[in-house]
Amino acid sequence: MANILLFIGAALIGSVIAEVTVMQASDPKVDWSGRRVVDGGTVNFDWLGVTARLTVTGGTYVIATINTTQLRGTRMRVWISDQGFDLYPQVQLWVTKILNRHILFTGSVGNKRLITLSNIVPPQYGTGITKVVSFETDGTFVSTPPQTRRIEVIGDSITAATNVVRPSGAPHCGDAGYQSDWSQTYSALLCQRFGASCSTIAVGGKCIMKECHGLQMPDYFVSTYYHDAPKPTYPFATSGWAPDAMIINLGTNDMRVIKTPDSAMGKQFTAETIAFMKNAVKLYQSNITFFLTTGPMENTTMPLTKAAVEQGTQEGLKVHWIDMRTACVDARLHAPDDEDGCDGCAGHPGIEGHYGMYLAAEPVIANVMGWNNTSL
Ligand SMILES: *[C@@H]1O[C@H](CO)[C@@H](O)[C@H](O)[C@H]1NC(C)=O
Ligand SMILES: *[C@@H]1O[C@H](CO)[C@@H](O)[C@H](O)[C@H]1NC(C)=O
Ligand SMILES: *[C@@H]1O[C@H](CO)[C@@H](O)[C@H](O)[C@H]1NC(C)=O
Ligand SMILES: *[C@@H]1O[C@H](CO)[C@@H](O)[C@H](O)[C@H]1NC(C)=O
């Protein structure tokens, strides 16, 4: 025993004793994006896509201390990069009610590494409210410059990453949150491509139209947390954040009440889409550039969405159209008879479908926003 203690003592004296730094999650050195609440040093959120970016120099590990309010919990994905962009997805964490210390990275941090931690499951699957308490390293945390481009994405199950990751060989599958992965959606690809600070507000099964009954996307849009809706809890004017670009991918579920595009309900869809955009401009007090999309799960709403672009423009909105109609048909499908309609689960776009949506959106947004330079 004495020998062992002597040995440890000698080892400690003989080497530089690494100092451990614990940084609160709310530390200004961390660049956060997405809707969140700072509670003391803890950062709380439940919308998918909420992301923390932290930079560390030297040392051998980075740990995050996280829990959620629900046992079921959420999953988060971690990228490590020394290249200035998200390089390789490194780790996927299952965050639960138990306050765990999750290893984000082990190895030699080296000169400088950027660590990106994103919430990839939408809140409707009982994720609870995630609480990131702190980050810890034996290196040094340095400030991560904030991303200056800002995007908000509003949508239904497609945007909520529902059914994206189809298990290989599955004859059919339906999401219960297990197939969700925001990081492989068109939104995440756009955020990465443009180096943007992003917010994603998306709920499966939802419409833009109140005629769908129950809470719809205009109700969720005003909420800090999913369960707040329809209480308008998000502090738009004082949040210090407003999107430059807002992508709205809705209509698939509105078809339940539209039925045929030349109906009165079709006109109503156009009117409520314009009203949504005007409300967003008013709430954020910012002349947002909107991108309305069509497809890939249905195309029937196309003329109604195009009408919203035309009328919205006449009424002073900055609004453009993105054609995502072929993202599903362009993807490699899994059923021999293509009965699923798209490459994810239950007819939803999967990894290729989302990539197709990204390919459709990227040039339009790059050109309109002047974000076409690759050097960020
Ligand atoms: C999560 O951790 C926080 C901070 O330690 C703690 O206050 C809270 O009770 C924990 N939540 C649950 C559900 O255990
Ligand atoms: C949508 O339109 C595209 C392009 O015309 C077509 O290939 C695709 O099959 C359509 N999808 C649906 C669901 O109707
Ligand atoms: C917003 O931008 C559009 C297009 O540039 C312009 O026509 C409109 O007047 C602007 N609105 C406000 C309130 O600045
Ligand atoms: C980038 O976008 C701007 C604004 O739309 C446009 O004027 C310019 O020609 C584009 N540059 C390239 C290289 O595509």
Side-chain angles (χ1 to χ4, degrees):
M1 188 62 181
N3 280 348
I4 292 171
L5 285 178
L6 243 167
F7 174 75
I8 293 171
L12 288 175
I13 290 158
S15 66
V16 177
I17 302 167
E19 209 178 309
V20 172
T21 301
V22 178
M23 171 174 73
Q24 291 186 320
S26 66
D27 194 291
K29 287 197 193 82
V30 185
D31 179 39
W32 281 94
S33 54
R35 290 188 184 177
R36 61 201 183 274
V37 174
V38 173
D39 177 13
T42 300
V43 175
N44 301 339
F45 53 85
D46 69 359
W47 289 113
L48 72 165
V50 173
T51 293
R53 295 163 69 248
L54 45 146
T55 311
V56 60
T57 68
T60 60
Y61 73 87
V62 177
I63 282 173
T65 301
I66 321 174
N67 64 5
T68 86
T69 55
Q70 296 287 318
L71 190 57
R72 163 73 188 266
T74 193
R75 284 174 291 120
M76 300 187 81
R77 211 154 176 187
V78 184
W79 286 262
I80 312 295
S81 176
D82 56 3
Q83 315 264 314
F85 57 91
D86 294 346
L87 196 55
Y88 302 113
Q90 197 82 6
V91 183
Q92 197 172 126
L93 315 172
W94 199 303
V95 176
T96 74
K97 228 171 160 169
I98 298 151
L99 188 68
N100 265 328
R101 294 168 76 243
H102 295 272
I103 296 171
L104 308 186
F105 177 78
T106 55
S108 173
V109 168
N111 187 34
K112 192 188 254 191
R113 279 183 204 268
L114 176 69
I115 297 182
T116 305
L117 175 68
S118 294
N119 184 35
I120 63 173
V121 184
Q124 72 192 113
Y125 295 115
T127 59
I129 293 170
T130 301
K131 297 168 183 273
V132 181
V133 177
S134 59
F135 298 106
E136 176 188 323
T137 184
D138 58 347
T140 306
F141 289 117
V142 298
S143 197
T144 305
Q147 290 159 305
T148 53
R149 296 168 175 173
R150 294 168 169 188
I151 303 176
E152 187 153 71
V153 193
I154 310 292
D156 52 28
S157 58
I158 300 172
T159 308
T162 302
N163 294 318
V164 170
V165 186
R166 186 185 177 91
S168 156
H172 54 81
C173 50
D175 196 275
Y178 303 111
Q179 274 79 50
S180 304
D181 181 354
W182 175 81
S183 72
Q184 305 201 67
T185 65
Y186 73 97
S187 333
L189 296 172
L190 289 168
C191 296
Q192 261 199 58
R193 159 67 182 90
F194 294 126
S197 159
C198 285
S199 162
T200 303
I201 308 298
V203 183
K206 298 301 176 183
C207 304
I208 204 159
M209 295 173 73
K210 59 179 179 301
E211 288 77 4
C212 288
H213 297 302
L215 299 180
Q216 301 305 331
M217 287 320 293
D219 304 303
Y220 291 101
F221 175 59
V222 295
S223 61
T224 296
Y225 296 125
Y226 166 73
H227 283 293
D228 292 348
K231 266 187 285 159
T233 51
Y234 187 67
F236 287 92
T238 56
S239 69
W241 190 94
D244 304 308
M246 182 180 286
I247 304 164
I248 303 175
N249 185 302
L250 286 168
T252 307
N253 296 295
D254 295 86
M255 278 308 295
R256 294 202 300 266
V257 294
I258 296 171
K259 296 194 173 80
T260 56
D262 50 6
S263 62
M265 279 298 175
K267 285 203 175 63
Q268 192 63 19
F269 173 81
T270 300
E272 290 183 44
T273 301
I274 293 170
F276 186 95
M277 293 189 284
K278 287 187 172 172
N279 191 41
V281 166
K282 195 172 121 205
L283 290 170
Y284 277 118
Q285 298 170 14
S286 172
N287 203 356
I288 301 164
T289 303
F290 295 92
F291 295 90
L292 305 181
T293 67
T294 297
M297 286 178 72
E298 62 81 32
N299 299 333
T300 314
T301 50
M302 183 175 88
L304 310 174
T305 299
K306 287 183 119 173
V309 172
E310 199 175 310
Q311 289 175 37
T313 304
Q314 282 165 12
E315 295 174 29
L317 290 166
K318 293 194 277 188
V319 49
H320 303 265
W321 183 61
I322 297 173
D323 185 358
M324 295 179 168
R325 281 178 300 159
T326 66
C328 278
V329 291
D330 288 349
R332 270 176 306 168
L333 303 187
H334 32 75
D337 57 359
D338 287 352
E339 67 188 6
D340 286 83
C342 209
D343 66 318
C345 295
H348 285 70
I351 293 167
E352 287 192 19
H354 272 276
Y355 184 60
M357 294 169 75
Y358 159 79
L359 288 179
E362 192 271 346
V364 180
I365 297 174
N367 273 304
V368 170
M369 302 305 293
W371 291 349
N372 45 10
N373 58 315
T374 47
S375 57
L376 299 172

